[in-house]
Amino acid sequence: MTAPKAPADQEAPHRALVELDHVSKYYGNIKALTDVSLEVHAGEISCVLGDNGAGKSTLIKIIAGLHRHDAGTFLIEGEETTLANPRDALDRGIATVYQDLAVVPLMPVWRNFFLGSEPTTGSGPFKRLDVRLMRETTRSELLRMGIDLRDVDQPIGTLSGGERQCVAIARAVYFGAKVLVLDEPTAALGVKQSGVVLKYVAAARDAGLGVVLITHNPHHAYLVGDRFVLLKRGAMSGSHTRASVTLDELTRQMAGGSELEELSHELERAPAPTRLGGHPVPGKPE
C-alpha cells in the first residue's frame, strides 16, 4: 500500500526569497568578501553586522545588482542568478535604501516618493504628470505604514532623518518590493528617531517583505532581527538565529570579545613602584 503523500508545505523547506551561498568578491588581489552566506525569508529580518571595512557595503552592492559576485551561488526564490544591474534587481523585487537616501531635498515629499517612476495623464502634446494621483497616493501609502506627515507638499529636506528613512521604506513597499535592503538606516540618528525607523522596518516585515538590515549596532539588530550574520574583514565570523544567541553574546562577538580582553590587559595601569624605607627604588622613576 502506498503511503499518503505529504502536504505541499511539508514536501520541501520554506524557500528563501534571496540566498547567498559561500559568495566571494575580489578586486584584483584584494578579497572584499570570502565565503559569505545569507538567507532572506518573507516576513523575516536578516541582520548583517560588522564594523567599517567588514564587507557590508560589498555585500549590499552584490544584492542590489551593482557588482557581480566572483564565486559562490546567488539565488532569488530558488533560481540561481547573476544580476546585471540595479534595474534588474528592482525588476526581481529587490529594493535597496542607501544611507544617503538619494532624495532631492528641495522637492516635495510626493515628488520624491515617485522619483523616476512618475505616472502621467493625457496623451500626445497634452501628456503631463498626474500630480493629483501622486499626492493622494503618497499620503495614503504613508498613512498605511502608520506615517502621518503634516503635508506631503513640504520639501523632503525639511523632514527629520528618521522621517526620510520611513518615506523611503513606504516607497519600496508601494512599488512591490519583495526584499528590502536597508543600509545603516539608524547610523546618523538619535535614540528616539532610531526607534521610529525600527518601528517601520518591523512594519515592512509584517507586510510580508524579507528585510536585510545592515548595521553596526547589535542592540538595534536584536530588537527586530530574526537572523544574524557577523562580518569581519570580509569573512563571516558568526551566523545565528534569534533563538540561538543572546544580545550579550551578539554584542560580545560584534565587539570582538577575545580581542577586547587582550586589549584591556595591555591598557591596564602599571602598578606604582614600591618604596624601600620611604625612598624610591633605585632605577625606578619617581
Side-chain angles (χ1 to χ4, degrees), residues 68-158:
R68 299 187 181 190
H69 57 289
D70 296 314
T73 308
F74 183 10
L75 300 100
I76 298 179
E77 296 187 271
E79 178 186 348
E80 186 172 349
T81 187
T82 299
L83 297 173
N85 50 54
R87 173 54 63 181
D88 192 13
L90 283 170
D91 291 343
R92 301 292 296 270
I94 301 174
T96 303
V97 179
Y98 293 98
Q99 196 171 340
D100 59 12
L101 294 178
V103 297
V104 183
L106 296 180
M107 282 187 176
V109 174
W110 62 263
R111 191 73 169 83
N112 276 278
F113 191 91
F114 281 92
L115 195 63
S117 303
E118 296 85 350
T120 57
T121 185
S123 59
F126 302 104
K127 189 175 183 179
R128 62 192 183 281
L129 294 178
D130 196 338
V131 175
R132 180 180 176 181
L133 175 63
M134 286 190 280
R135 282 196 179 109
E136 291 177 352
T137 301
T138 300
R139 186 177 291 107
S140 63
E141 287 301 312
L142 292 178
L143 281 173
R144 191 166 71 89
M145 289 285 291
I147 307 168
D148 187 9
L149 290 183
R150 297 177 294 278
D151 182 9
V152 295
D153 282 304
Q154 68 187 102
I156 198 168
T158 63

Coordinates of all heavy atoms in Angstrom, one line a residue, residues 68-158:
R68 N 28.9 42.1 -9.5 CA 28.6 40.7 -9.6 C 29.6 39.9 -8.7 O 30.7 40.3 -8.6 CB 28.9 40.3 -11.1 CG 27.9 40.9 -12.1 CD 28.0 40.3 -13.5 NE 27.2 41.0 -14.4 CZ 26.9 40.6 -15.7 NH1 27.6 39.5 -16.1 NH2 26.1 41.2 -16.5
H69 N 29.1 38.8 -8.2 CA 30.0 38.0 -7.3 C 30.9 37.2 -8.2 O 30.6 36.9 -9.3 CB 29.1 37.1 -6.4 CG 28.2 36.2 -7.1 ND1 27.0 36.7 -7.8 CD2 28.2 34.9 -7.3 CE1 26.4 35.7 -8.3 NE2 27.1 34.5 -8.1
D70 N 32.1 36.9 -7.6 CA 33.1 36.1 -8.4 C 33.1 34.6 -8.1 O 33.6 33.8 -8.8 CB 34.5 36.7 -8.1 CG 34.6 38.1 -8.6 OD1 34.2 38.4 -9.7 OD2 35.1 39.0 -7.8
A71 N 32.5 34.2 -7.0 CA 32.4 32.8 -6.6 C 31.2 32.6 -5.7 O 30.6 33.5 -5.1 CB 33.7 32.4 -5.9
G72 N 30.8 31.4 -5.6 CA 29.6 31.1 -4.8 C 28.3 31.1 -5.6 O 28.3 31.3 -6.9
T73 N 27.2 31.0 -4.9 CA 25.9 31.0 -5.6 C 25.0 32.0 -5.1 O 24.9 32.2 -3.8 CB 25.2 29.6 -5.4 OG1 26.1 28.6 -5.7 CG2 24.0 29.4 -6.2
F74 N 24.3 32.7 -6.0 CA 23.3 33.8 -5.6 C 22.0 33.3 -6.2 O 21.8 33.2 -7.4 CB 23.7 35.1 -6.2 CG 22.9 36.3 -5.9 CD1 21.9 36.2 -5.0 CD2 23.0 37.5 -6.6 CE1 21.1 37.3 -4.7 CE2 22.2 38.6 -6.3 CZ 21.3 38.5 -5.3
L75 N 21.0 33.1 -5.3 CA 19.7 32.6 -5.7 C 18.6 33.5 -5.3 O 18.6 34.1 -4.2 CB 19.4 31.2 -5.1 CG 20.3 30.1 -5.4 CD1 21.3 29.8 -4.2 CD2 19.6 28.8 -5.6
I76 N 17.6 33.7 -6.2 CA 16.5 34.5 -6.0 C 15.3 33.6 -6.1 O 15.0 33.1 -7.2 CB 16.3 35.7 -6.9 CG1 17.5 36.7 -6.7 CG2 15.0 36.5 -6.7 CD1 17.5 37.9 -7.7
E77 N 14.5 33.4 -5.0 CA 13.4 32.4 -5.0 C 13.8 31.1 -5.6 O 13.1 30.5 -6.4 CB 12.2 33.0 -5.7 CG 11.7 34.3 -5.0 CD 10.4 34.8 -5.6 OE1 10.5 35.6 -6.6 OE2 9.3 34.4 -5.2
G78 N 15.0 30.6 -5.2 CA 15.4 29.3 -5.6 C 16.1 29.2 -6.9 O 16.6 28.1 -7.3
E79 N 16.1 30.3 -7.7 CA 16.7 30.3 -9.0 C 18.1 30.9 -9.0 O 18.2 32.1 -8.6 CB 15.8 31.0 -10.0 CG 16.4 31.1 -11.4 CD 15.5 32.0 -12.3 OE1 14.4 32.3 -11.9 OE2 16.0 32.3 -13.4
E80 N 19.1 30.2 -9.4 CA 20.4 30.8 -9.4 C 20.5 31.9 -10.5 O 20.0 31.8 -11.6 CB 21.5 29.7 -9.8 CG 22.9 30.2 -9.7 CD 23.9 29.1 -9.9 OE1 23.5 27.9 -9.8 OE2 25.1 29.4 -10.0
T81 N 21.1 33.0 -10.1 CA 21.1 34.2 -11.0 C 22.3 35.0 -10.8 O 23.0 34.9 -9.8 CB 19.8 35.0 -10.7 OG1 19.7 36.1 -11.6 CG2 19.9 35.7 -9.3
T82 N 22.6 35.9 -11.7 CA 23.6 36.9 -11.6 C 22.9 38.2 -12.1 O 22.5 38.3 -13.2 CB 24.8 36.6 -12.5 OG1 25.4 35.4 -12.0 CG2 25.8 37.8 -12.4
L83 N 22.8 39.2 -11.2 CA 22.1 40.4 -11.6 C 23.0 41.3 -12.5 O 24.2 41.5 -12.2 CB 21.7 41.2 -10.3 CG 20.7 40.5 -9.4 CD1 20.5 41.3 -8.1 CD2 19.4 40.3 -10.1
A84 N 22.4 41.8 -13.5 CA 23.2 42.6 -14.5 C 23.4 44.0 -14.0 O 24.4 44.6 -14.3 CB 22.5 42.6 -15.8
N85 N 22.4 44.6 -13.3 CA 22.4 46.0 -12.9 C 21.3 46.2 -11.8 O 20.5 45.4 -11.6 CB 22.2 46.9 -14.1 CG 21.0 46.6 -14.9 OD1 19.9 46.4 -14.4 ND2 21.3 46.3 -16.2
P86 N 21.3 47.4 -11.2 CA 20.3 47.7 -10.2 C 18.8 47.6 -10.7 O 17.9 47.2 -10.0 CB 20.6 49.1 -9.8 CG 22.1 49.2 -10.0 CD 22.3 48.5 -11.2
R87 N 18.6 48.0 -12.0 CA 17.3 47.9 -12.6 C 16.8 46.4 -12.6 O 15.7 46.1 -12.4 CB 17.2 48.5 -13.9 CG 15.9 48.3 -14.7 CD 14.7 48.8 -13.9 NE 14.8 50.2 -13.7 CZ 13.8 50.9 -13.0 NH1 12.8 50.2 -12.5 NH2 13.9 52.1 -12.8
D88 N 17.8 45.5 -12.9 CA 17.5 44.1 -12.9 C 17.1 43.6 -11.5 O 16.1 42.8 -11.4 CB 18.7 43.3 -13.4 CG 18.5 41.9 -13.7 OD1 17.3 41.5 -13.8 OD2 19.4 41.1 -13.9
A89 N 17.8 44.1 -10.5 CA 17.4 43.8 -9.1 C 16.0 44.3 -8.8 O 15.2 43.6 -8.2 CB 18.4 44.4 -8.2
L90 N 15.7 45.5 -9.2 CA 14.3 46.1 -8.9 C 13.3 45.3 -9.6 O 12.2 45.0 -9.1 CB 14.3 47.5 -9.4 CG 14.9 48.6 -8.5 CD1 15.0 49.9 -9.2 CD2 14.2 48.7 -7.2
D91 N 13.6 44.9 -10.9 CA 12.6 44.0 -11.6 C 12.4 42.7 -10.9 O 11.3 42.1 -11.1 CB 13.1 43.8 -13.0 CG 13.0 45.1 -13.9 OD1 12.3 46.1 -13.4 OD2 13.7 45.2 -14.9
R92 N 13.4 42.2 -10.2 CA 13.2 40.9 -9.5 C 12.7 41.1 -8.0 O 12.6 40.2 -7.3 CB 14.6 40.2 -9.4 CG 15.2 39.9 -10.8 CD 14.4 38.9 -11.5 NE 14.4 37.6 -10.8 CZ 15.4 36.6 -11.0 NH1 16.3 36.8 -11.9 NH2 15.3 35.5 -10.4
G93 N 12.3 42.4 -7.7 CA 11.7 42.6 -6.4 C 12.7 43.0 -5.3 O 12.3 42.9 -4.1
I94 N 13.9 43.4 -5.6 CA 14.9 43.8 -4.6 C 15.1 45.3 -4.6 O 15.6 45.8 -5.6 CB 16.2 43.1 -4.8 CG1 16.0 41.5 -4.8 CG2 17.2 43.5 -3.8 CD1 17.3 40.8 -5.2
A95 N 14.7 45.9 -3.5 CA 14.8 47.4 -3.4 C 15.8 47.7 -2.3 O 15.8 47.1 -1.3 CB 13.5 48.0 -3.1
T96 N 16.7 48.6 -2.6 CA 17.8 49.0 -1.7 C 17.7 50.4 -1.3 O 17.6 51.3 -2.2 CB 19.2 48.7 -2.3 OG1 19.3 47.4 -2.7 CG2 20.3 49.0 -1.3
V97 N 17.7 50.7 0.0 CA 17.6 52.1 0.5 C 19.0 52.4 1.1 O 19.3 51.8 2.2 CB 16.5 52.2 1.6 CG1 16.5 53.6 2.1 CG2 15.1 51.9 1.0
Y98 N 19.7 53.2 0.4 CA 21.1 53.6 0.9 C 21.0 54.6 2.0 O 20.0 55.3 2.2 CB 21.9 54.0 -0.3 CG 22.2 53.0 -1.3 CD1 21.4 52.9 -2.5 CD2 23.2 52.0 -1.1 CE1 21.7 51.9 -3.4 CE2 23.4 51.0 -2.0 CZ 22.7 50.9 -3.1 OH 22.9 49.9 -4.1
Q99 N 22.1 54.7 2.7 CA 22.2 55.6 3.8 C 22.0 57.1 3.4 O 21.4 57.8 4.1 CB 23.6 55.5 4.5 CG 23.7 56.1 5.9 CD 25.0 55.7 6.6 OE1 25.7 54.8 6.2 NE2 25.3 56.5 7.6
D100 N 22.4 57.5 2.2 CA 22.2 58.9 1.8 C 20.8 59.1 1.2 O 20.5 60.2 0.8 CB 23.3 59.3 0.8 CG 23.3 58.4 -0.5 OD1 22.4 57.6 -0.7 OD2 24.3 58.5 -1.2
L101 N 20.1 58.0 1.0 CA 18.7 58.0 0.5 C 18.4 58.5 -0.9 O 17.4 58.2 -1.5 CB 17.8 58.9 1.5 CG 17.7 58.4 2.9 CD1 16.9 59.3 3.7 CD2 17.0 57.0 2.9
A102 N 19.4 59.2 -1.5 CA 19.2 59.6 -2.9 C 17.9 60.4 -3.2 O 17.2 60.1 -4.1 CB 19.3 58.4 -3.9
V103 N 17.7 61.3 -2.3 CA 16.5 62.2 -2.4 C 16.9 63.6 -2.9 O 18.1 63.9 -2.8 CB 15.7 62.3 -1.1 CG1 15.1 61.0 -0.7 CG2 16.5 63.0 0.0
V104 N 15.9 64.3 -3.4 CA 16.2 65.7 -3.8 C 15.6 66.6 -2.8 O 14.4 66.7 -2.7 CB 15.6 66.0 -5.2 CG1 15.9 67.4 -5.6 CG2 16.0 65.0 -6.3
P105 N 16.4 67.2 -1.9 CA 15.9 67.9 -0.7 C 14.9 68.9 -0.9 O 14.0 69.1 -0.1 CB 17.2 68.5 -0.1 CG 18.3 67.6 -0.6 CD 17.9 67.2 -2.0
L106 N 15.0 69.7 -2.0 CA 14.1 70.8 -2.3 C 12.8 70.4 -2.9 O 11.9 71.2 -3.0 CB 14.8 71.9 -3.1 CG 16.0 72.6 -2.5 CD1 16.6 73.6 -3.4 CD2 15.6 73.2 -1.1
M107 N 12.7 69.2 -3.4 CA 11.5 68.7 -4.0 C 10.5 68.2 -2.9 O 10.9 67.8 -1.8 CB 11.7 67.5 -4.9 CG 12.3 67.9 -6.3 SD 12.4 66.5 -7.4 CE 12.9 67.3 -8.9
P108 N 9.2 68.3 -3.1 CA 8.2 67.9 -2.1 C 8.3 66.4 -1.9 O 8.8 65.6 -2.7 CB 6.9 68.3 -2.7 CG 7.1 68.5 -4.2 CD 8.5 68.9 -4.3
V109 N 7.7 66.0 -0.8 CA 7.7 64.5 -0.4 C 7.1 63.7 -1.5 O 7.6 62.6 -1.9 CB 6.9 64.3 0.9 CG1 6.8 62.9 1.2 CG2 7.6 65.1 2.0
W110 N 5.9 64.1 -2.1 CA 5.3 63.3 -3.1 C 6.1 63.1 -4.4 O 6.1 62.1 -5.0 CB 3.9 63.8 -3.4 CG 3.9 65.2 -4.0 CD1 3.7 66.4 -3.4 CD2 4.0 65.6 -5.4 NE1 3.7 67.5 -4.2 CE2 3.9 67.0 -5.5 CE3 4.3 64.9 -6.6 CZ2 4.1 67.7 -6.7 CZ3 4.4 65.6 -7.8 CH2 4.3 66.9 -7.8
R111 N 6.9 64.2 -4.7 CA 7.7 64.1 -5.9 C 8.9 63.1 -5.7 O 9.2 62.3 -6.6 CB 8.3 65.5 -6.2 CG 9.0 65.6 -7.5 CD 7.9 65.6 -8.7 NE 8.5 66.0 -9.9 CZ 9.2 65.1 -10.7 NH1 9.3 63.9 -10.4 NH2 9.7 65.6 -11.9
N112 N 9.4 63.1 -4.5 CA 10.5 62.2 -4.2 C 9.9 60.7 -4.1 O 10.6 59.8 -4.4 CB 11.2 62.5 -2.9 CG 12.3 63.6 -3.0 OD1 13.4 63.3 -3.4 ND2 11.9 64.9 -2.8
F113 N 8.7 60.6 -3.6 CA 8.1 59.3 -3.5 C 8.0 58.6 -4.8 O 8.2 57.4 -4.9 CB 6.7 59.4 -2.9 CG 6.1 58.1 -2.4 CD1 6.2 57.7 -1.1 CD2 5.3 57.4 -3.3 CE1 5.7 56.5 -0.7 CE2 4.7 56.2 -2.9 CZ 4.9 55.7 -1.6
F114 N 7.8 59.4 -5.9 CA 7.6 58.8 -7.2 C 8.8 59.0 -8.1 O 8.7 58.8 -9.3 CB 6.3 59.4 -7.9 CG 5.1 58.7 -7.4 CD1 4.3 59.3 -6.4 CD2 4.6 57.6 -8.0 CE1 3.2 58.7 -5.9 CE2 3.4 57.0 -7.6 CZ 2.7 57.5 -6.6
L115 N 9.9 59.6 -7.6 CA 11.0 60.0 -8.4 C 11.5 58.8 -9.3 O 11.9 57.8 -8.8 CB 12.2 60.4 -7.5 CG 13.3 61.2 -8.1 CD1 12.8 62.5 -8.7 CD2 14.4 61.5 -7.1
G116 N 11.5 59.1 -10.6 CA 11.9 58.1 -11.6 C 10.8 57.2 -12.0 O 11.0 56.4 -13.0
S117 N 9.6 57.2 -11.4 CA 8.5 56.3 -11.8 C 7.2 57.1 -11.8 O 6.2 56.7 -11.3 CB 8.4 55.2 -10.8 OG 9.6 54.4 -10.7
E118 N 7.2 58.4 -12.3 CA 6.1 59.3 -12.2 C 5.0 58.8 -13.2 O 5.2 58.6 -14.4 CB 6.5 60.7 -12.6 CG 7.5 61.3 -11.7 CD 9.0 61.0 -12.0 OE1 9.2 60.1 -12.8 OE2 9.9 61.6 -11.3
P119 N 3.7 58.7 -12.6 CA 2.6 58.4 -13.5 C 2.2 59.7 -14.3 O 2.4 60.8 -13.8 CB 1.5 58.0 -12.5 CG 1.9 58.8 -11.2 CD 3.4 58.8 -11.2
T120 N 1.6 59.5 -15.5 CA 1.2 60.6 -16.3 C -0.2 60.5 -16.7 O -0.9 59.4 -16.5 CB 2.1 60.7 -17.6 OG1 1.9 59.4 -18.3 CG2 3.5 60.9 -17.3
T121 N -0.8 61.6 -17.1 CA -2.2 61.6 -17.6 C -2.2 62.3 -18.9 O -1.3 63.1 -19.3 CB -3.1 62.3 -16.6 OG1 -4.5 62.2 -17.0 CG2 -2.7 63.7 -16.4
G122 N -3.2 62.0 -19.7 CA -3.3 62.7 -21.1 C -2.4 61.9 -22.1 O -1.8 60.9 -21.7
S123 N -2.4 62.4 -23.3 CA -1.6 61.8 -24.3 C -1.1 62.9 -25.3 O -1.6 64.0 -25.4 CB -2.4 60.8 -25.1 OG -3.6 61.3 -25.7
G124 N -0.1 62.5 -26.1 CA 0.4 63.4 -27.1 C 0.9 64.7 -26.5 O 1.6 64.7 -25.4
P125 N 0.6 65.8 -27.1 CA 1.1 67.1 -26.6 C 0.4 67.5 -25.2 O 0.9 68.4 -24.6 CB 0.7 68.1 -27.7 CG -0.4 67.4 -28.4 CD -0.1 66.0 -28.3
F126 N -0.6 66.7 -24.8 CA -1.3 67.1 -23.6 C -0.9 66.1 -22.4 O -1.5 66.1 -21.4 CB -2.8 66.9 -23.8 CG -3.4 67.8 -24.9 CD1 -3.7 67.3 -26.1 CD2 -3.5 69.2 -24.7 CE1 -4.2 68.2 -27.1 CE2 -4.0 70.0 -25.7 CZ -4.3 69.5 -26.9
K127 N 0.1 65.3 -22.7 CA 0.6 64.4 -21.7 C 1.3 65.2 -20.6 O 2.2 66.1 -20.9 CB 1.6 63.4 -22.3 CG 2.0 62.3 -21.4 CD 2.8 61.2 -22.1 CE 3.2 60.1 -21.3 NZ 4.0 59.1 -22.0
R128 N 1.0 64.9 -19.3 CA 1.6 65.6 -18.2 C 1.6 64.7 -17.0 O 1.0 63.7 -16.9 CB 0.8 66.9 -17.9 CG -0.6 66.6 -17.5 CD -1.5 67.9 -17.5 NE -2.8 67.7 -17.0 CZ -3.8 67.2 -17.7 NH1 -3.6 66.8 -19.0 NH2 -5.0 67.0 -17.2
L129 N 2.4 65.2 -16.0 CA 2.5 64.4 -14.7 C 1.1 64.4 -14.0 O 0.4 65.5 -14.0 CB 3.5 65.0 -13.8 CG 5.0 64.9 -14.3 CD1 5.9 65.6 -13.2 CD2 5.4 63.5 -14.4
D130 N 0.7 63.3 -13.5 CA -0.5 63.2 -12.7 C -0.3 63.6 -11.3 O -0.1 62.7 -10.4 CB -1.1 61.8 -12.8 CG -2.6 61.7 -12.4 OD1 -3.0 62.6 -11.7 OD2 -3.3 60.8 -12.8
V131 N -0.2 64.9 -11.0 CA 0.2 65.4 -9.7 C -0.8 65.0 -8.7 O -0.5 64.6 -7.6 CB 0.4 66.9 -9.8 CG1 0.6 67.5 -8.4 CG2 1.5 67.3 -10.7
R132 N -2.1 65.1 -9.0 CA -3.1 64.7 -8.0 C -3.0 63.3 -7.6 O -3.1 63.0 -6.4 CB -4.5 65.0 -8.7 CG -5.7 64.7 -7.7 CD -7.0 64.9 -8.4 NE -8.1 64.5 -7.6 CZ -9.4 64.6 -7.9 NH1 -9.7 65.1 -9.1 NH2 -10.3 64.2 -7.1
L133 N -2.8 62.4 -8.5 CA -2.6 61.0 -8.1 C -1.4 60.8 -7.3 O -1.5 60.0 -6.3 CB -2.5 60.1 -9.4 CG -2.2 58.6 -9.2 CD1 -3.4 58.0 -8.4 CD2 -2.0 57.9 -10.5
M134 N -0.3 61.4 -7.6 CA 0.9 61.3 -6.8 C 0.7 61.8 -5.4 O 1.2 61.2 -4.4 CB 2.1 61.9 -7.5 CG 2.6 61.2 -8.7 SD 4.1 61.8 -9.4 CE 3.6 63.3 -10.3
R135 N 0.1 62.9 -5.3 CA -0.2 63.5 -3.9 C -1.0 62.5 -3.1 O -0.7 62.2 -1.9 CB -0.8 64.9 -4.0 CG 0.1 66.0 -4.4 CD -0.6 67.3 -4.1 NE 0.2 68.5 -4.4 CZ 0.0 69.3 -5.4 NH1 -1.0 69.1 -6.2 NH2 0.8 70.3 -5.6
E136 N -2.2 62.1 -3.7 CA -3.1 61.3 -2.9 C -2.5 59.9 -2.6 O -2.7 59.4 -1.5 CB -4.4 61.1 -3.8 CG -5.2 62.3 -3.9 CD -6.4 62.1 -4.8 OE1 -6.5 61.0 -5.4 OE2 -7.3 63.0 -4.9
T137 N -1.7 59.3 -3.5 CA -1.1 58.0 -3.3 C -0.1 58.1 -2.2 O 0.0 57.3 -1.3 CB -0.5 57.5 -4.6 OG1 -1.5 57.4 -5.6 CG2 0.1 56.1 -4.4
T138 N 0.8 59.2 -2.3 CA 1.8 59.3 -1.3 C 1.2 59.4 0.1 O 1.6 58.8 1.1 CB 2.7 60.6 -1.6 OG1 3.3 60.4 -2.9 CG2 3.7 60.8 -0.5
R139 N 0.2 60.3 0.2 CA -0.5 60.5 1.5 C -1.1 59.2 2.0 O -0.9 58.8 3.2 CB -1.6 61.5 1.4 CG -2.2 61.9 2.8 CD -3.2 63.0 2.6 NE -2.6 64.3 2.2 CZ -2.6 64.8 1.0 NH1 -3.3 64.3 0.0 NH2 -2.0 66.0 0.8
S140 N -1.8 58.4 1.2 CA -2.4 57.2 1.6 C -1.4 56.1 1.9 O -1.6 55.3 2.9 CB -3.4 56.7 0.6 OG -2.8 56.4 -0.6
E141 N -0.4 56.0 1.1 CA 0.6 54.9 1.4 C 1.4 55.2 2.7 O 1.7 54.2 3.4 CB 1.6 54.8 0.2 CG 0.9 54.2 -1.0 CD 0.4 52.8 -0.8 OE1 1.2 52.0 -0.2 OE2 -0.7 52.5 -1.1
L142 N 1.7 56.4 2.9 CA 2.4 56.8 4.2 C 1.5 56.5 5.4 O 2.0 55.9 6.4 CB 2.8 58.2 4.2 CG 3.9 58.6 3.2 CD1 4.3 60.1 3.3 CD2 5.2 57.8 3.4
L143 N 0.2 56.8 5.3 CA -0.7 56.5 6.3 C -0.9 55.0 6.6 O -1.0 54.5 7.7 CB -2.1 57.1 6.0 CG -2.2 58.7 6.3 CD1 -3.5 59.2 5.8 CD2 -2.1 59.0 7.8
R144 N -0.9 54.2 5.5 CA -1.0 52.8 5.6 C 0.2 52.2 6.4 O 0.0 51.2 7.0 CB -1.1 52.2 4.2 CG -1.5 50.7 4.2 CD -1.9 50.3 2.8 NE -0.7 50.2 1.9 CZ 0.0 49.1 1.8 NH1 -0.2 48.0 2.5 NH2 1.1 49.1 1.0
M145 N 1.3 52.8 6.3 CA 2.5 52.4 7.0 C 2.5 53.0 8.4 O 3.5 52.8 9.2 CB 3.8 52.7 6.3 CG 4.0 51.9 5.0 SD 4.6 50.2 5.4 CE 6.2 50.5 6.0
G146 N 1.5 53.8 8.7 CA 1.5 54.5 10.0 C 2.3 55.8 10.1 O 2.6 56.3 11.2
I147 N 2.6 56.3 8.9 CA 3.4 57.6 8.9 C 2.5 58.7 8.6 O 1.9 58.8 7.5 CB 4.5 57.5 7.8 CG1 5.3 56.3 8.0 CG2 5.4 58.8 7.8 CD1 6.2 55.9 6.8
D148 N 2.2 59.6 9.5 CA 1.3 60.7 9.4 C 2.1 62.0 9.3 O 2.4 62.7 10.2 CB 0.4 60.8 10.6 CG -0.8 61.8 10.4 OD1 -0.9 62.3 9.3 OD2 -1.5 62.1 11.3
L149 N 2.4 62.4 8.0 CA 3.2 63.7 7.8 C 2.2 64.8 7.8 O 1.0 64.7 7.5 CB 3.9 63.6 6.4 CG 5.0 62.6 6.3 CD1 5.7 62.8 4.9 CD2 6.1 62.9 7.3
R150 N 2.8 66.0 8.2 CA 1.9 67.2 8.2 C 1.4 67.6 6.8 O 0.3 67.9 6.6 CB 2.8 68.3 8.8 CG 3.2 68.1 10.2 CD 4.1 69.2 10.8 NE 5.4 69.2 10.1 CZ 6.4 68.5 10.4 NH1 6.3 67.6 11.3 NH2 7.6 68.5 9.7
D151 N 2.3 67.5 5.8 CA 2.0 67.9 4.5 C 2.9 67.3 3.5 O 4.1 67.4 3.6 CB 2.1 69.5 4.4 CG 1.7 70.0 3.1 OD1 1.2 69.2 2.3 OD2 1.9 71.2 2.8
V152 N 2.4 66.5 2.5 CA 3.2 65.9 1.5 C 3.8 66.8 0.5 O 4.6 66.5 -0.3 CB 2.5 64.7 0.8 CG1 2.1 63.6 1.7 CG2 1.2 65.3 0.0
D153 N 3.3 68.1 0.6 CA 3.9 69.1 -0.3 C 5.1 69.8 0.2 O 5.8 70.6 -0.5 CB 2.8 70.2 -0.6 CG 1.8 69.8 -1.6 OD1 2.2 69.4 -2.7 OD2 0.6 69.8 -1.3
Q154 N 5.4 69.5 1.5 CA 6.6 70.1 2.0 C 7.9 69.5 1.5 O 7.9 68.3 1.1 CB 6.6 70.0 3.6 CG 6.8 68.6 4.1 CD 6.6 68.5 5.6 OE1 5.6 68.0 6.1 NE2 7.7 68.9 6.3
P155 N 9.0 70.3 1.3 CA 10.2 69.7 0.8 C 10.7 68.6 1.7 O 10.6 68.7 2.9 CB 11.2 70.9 0.8 CG 10.3 72.1 0.8 CD 9.1 71.7 1.6
I156 N 11.1 67.5 1.1 CA 11.5 66.3 1.9 C 12.8 66.6 2.8 O 13.0 66.0 3.8 CB 11.8 65.1 1.0 CG1 11.8 63.8 1.8 CG2 13.1 65.3 0.2 CD1 11.8 62.5 1.0
G157 N 13.5 67.7 2.3 CA 14.7 68.1 3.1 C 14.3 68.7 4.5 O 15.2 68.8 5.4
T158 N 13.0 69.0 4.7 CA 12.6 69.6 6.0 C 12.2 68.5 7.0 O 12.0 68.8 8.1 CB 11.4 70.5 5.8 OG1 10.3 69.8 5.3 CG2 11.7 71.7 4.8

